[in-house]
Amino acid sequence: MKLIFVRHGQTDFNKNKLPQGQEIDAPLNDTGIRQAEEAAKYIPAEIDFIIASPMKRAAQTAEILNRVLNKRIEFRDDVKELRYGDLAGKPWPQIAEILNDADAKEKDDAIAFDYSMHGGDSAESFKARVAAFAKEMQDTYPDQTILVAAHGGVIDAMHILFPQEEKATTDNASVHEFTF
C-alpha cells in the first residue's frame, strides 16, 4: 500500500512563519493555490481515493488536486494538524519566551514538543494519532494507493514514524510517498 501525502499550499500564516495548528483555519492564499496546482502535476494517476484534513487549507488543496484525479474525497479529523493551544498564531520568538525554551521551533520541527500546558498536543499523543491513522490505512486498504492532503506536522510525524530513504523538507505543497 502507498500513502502519498501532499502538504497544503501556502496560507498567509505560513508566509509570515506563524504556526496555525488546528486553532486557526486559514484558507490558501494566491501563492498556495498556485502551489497546489503545480503539485497536481506530480501526483501519479493510480490514486484510488483522497483523504484530506477538513481544515480549509488542506481541503482546498485536496479539491485542487482532485481537478486532475476525479476521485472521491474523504475528510478525516485524524489527519488534522497538531494543536498549539493558546500558542497558535504567535511568532516563534514569543513562543520560545512563553515556553522558556530557546529550541522551541527546533523541537516543533522534530516532533519533540509538549504544548499540553497551553491546551495543545504533546508530541507523543500527536504521533500516536498519526500512527493509528497509518495503521488503519494499512489494515483497511492493503493494496491501494491513497492521496492524503494534510499538514506539515502530520507529514513530519510520518517521516519520524516511518523513515524513508530521504526525508524531503515539508515545504508547502510538497509531495511525500510512504510505501508499506
Side-chain angles (χ1 to χ4, degrees):
M1 91 128 350
K2 284 185 186 175
L3 292 174
I4 300 174
F5 280 79
V6 178
R7 184 180 177 202
H8 62 79
Q10 184 186 75
T11 68
D12 287 340
F13 283 84
N14 296 134
K15 180 180 177 181
N16 294 311
K17 300 186 183 333
L18 300 171
Q20 300 163 93
Q22 290 185 27
E23 293 79 6
I24 298 172
D25 198 11
L28 299 179
N29 61 22
D30 290 342
T31 298
I33 292 168
R34 285 191 302 277
Q35 289 170 332
E37 291 168 344
E38 184 66 22
K41 298 174 184 175
Y42 300 98
I43 304 300
E46 63 271 4
I47 298 294
D48 292 293
F49 67 99
I50 301 168
I51 291 176
S53 160
M55 303 199 74
K56 288 176 190 170
R57 56 198 184 265
Q60 282 181 284
T61 299
E63 290 161 1
I64 291 167
L65 297 171
N66 202 31
R67 292 177 192 161
V68 175
L69 297 168
N70 283 326
K71 302 291 180 178
R72 75 178 166 89
I73 301 175
E74 180 182 324
F75 295 98
R76 294 183 53 133
D77 288 343
D78 48 3
V79 293
K80 279 184 173 181
E81 184 60 291
L82 63 98
R83 294 177 305 124
Y84 286 97
D86 59 20
L87 301 172
K90 292 179 171 39
W92 281 106
Q94 185 179 358
I95 292 171
E97 185 177 317
I98 292 168
L99 295 175
N100 195 27
D101 187 348
D103 298 325
K105 175 68 170 110
E106 291 75 17
K107 287 180 180 174
D108 187 79
D109 292 342
I111 312 297
F113 53 80
D114 187 356
Y115 303 129
S116 59
M117 296 295 289
H118 295 274
D121 287 323
S122 71
E124 294 314 309
S125 66
F126 179 64
K127 287 189 284 191
R129 172 167 53 96
V130 173
F133 166 77
K135 181 172 182 351
E136 180 187 344
M137 294 302 102
Q138 292 170 55
D139 292 347
T140 309
Y141 306 105
D143 301 317
Q144 295 195 351
T145 300
I146 304 166
L147 179 67
V148 184
H151 305 270
V154 173
I155 296 168
D156 284 339
M158 284 293 296
H159 279 291
I160 289 166
L161 294 164
F162 309 101
Q164 304 298 299
E165 286 183 27
E166 290 184 32
K167 184 204 178 287
T169 60
T170 49
D171 295 333
N172 289 111
S174 56
V175 179
H176 305 261
E177 186 174 311
F178 297 87
T179 303
F180 299 92

